[in-house]
Amino acid sequence: MFDLFKRKFDRTPEGMQDRVPPGQYVTEKFPVLHYGEVPQYKHVEQEWDLRVWGSIDEPTRLTYAQFLELPTIQVTMDIHCVTRWSKLDTTWEGVQFKELLKHMPALKPEAAFVIAHAEHNFTANIPLEFLMDDEAMLAYKYEGEPLTPEHGYPVRLLVPKKYFWKSAKWLRGLEFLPHDKLGFWERYGYNNNADPWREERYSE
Ligand SMILES: Nc1nc2c(c(=O)[nH]1)N[C@H]1C(S)=C(S)[C@@H](COP(=O)(O)O)O[C@H]1N2
Ligand SMILES: [Mo]
């Protein structure tokens, strides 16, 4: 059996190979992949907020300034796109998902799934459990710099250990639900569980 922890930090050539899921190749580039236009923000303080609703005691909204005041974490992770490129050791900084929950009204006990809502009506559905991972976050820096527009500026979700399509760029809202509901790529035929180690690329 593989050891996820050991694999993550193994930088030997063989070790790096072990970190590449089946059917993936490693790229040093950072490909840009999404449906639709890249949103442009001129006055991000006024134009961006994060709305939170659904299975929560009270719907809420965080302004950009409030969001930037939250404690941050830095995480280095490997990312795997279903179109078969993987990029190792990408470093991100942002607000841990679990941390964000501490600064909001309580979730209702029924909350079990999350719909990430992004600009232009993009959605991704994620079991709440995936987002309770220590490395799951709302990222706003990549390699020490603010995200570039094409990679999700100002804020994107990062869902570790899943194909990268669940990591919604240009995040604007989180909707908590008691039941699952397919997101944009999931409706298009991508596998709902999206585990790259099990090659869960497409639905049956
Ligand atoms: N808002 C939004 N986020 C998105 C997507 C999208 O179409 N819209 N595509 C996903 C897919 S398929 C991938 S592989 C990653 C790509 O992120 P990158 O462009 O930063 O490499 O973003 C994900 N997040
Ligand atoms: Mo992707």
Side-chain angles (χ1 to χ4, degrees), residues 76 98 169-170 188:
T76 299
K98 286 196 277 200
K169 303 194 274 192
W170 315 297
Y188 181 83

Side-chain angles (χ1 to χ4, degrees), residues 30-35 81 122 151 156 164-165 167 169-170:
F30 195 173
V32 170
L33 223 134
H34 55 261
Y35 178 79
C81 175
F122 179 85
H151 288 298
R156 80 180 296 166
F164 206 31
W165 83 75
S167 294
K169 303 194 274 192
W170 315 297

Side-chain angles (χ1 to χ4, degrees), residues 30-34 41 48 50 67 77 79 85 90 92-95 97 116-118 122 131 135-142 147-159 163-172 174:
F30 195 173
V32 170
L33 223 134
H34 55 261
Y41 294 83
W48 189 90
L50 184 74
F67 178 73
M77 67 168 82
I79 55 184
W85 58 268
T90 62
W92 304 84
E93 192 178 327
V95 180
F97 191 84
H117 289 263
F122 179 85
L131 290 169
E135 299 188 341
M137 67 161 122
L138 289 75
Y140 56 91
K141 283 187 180 178
Y142 171 72
L147 299 183
T148 58
E150 61 273 20
H151 288 298
Y153 177 86
V155 178
R156 80 180 296 166
L157 198 62
L158 284 181
V159 185
Y163 282 120
F164 206 31
W165 83 75
K166 298 236 180 223
S167 294
K169 303 194 274 192
W170 315 297
L171 185 69
R172 291 300 304 275
L174 296 170

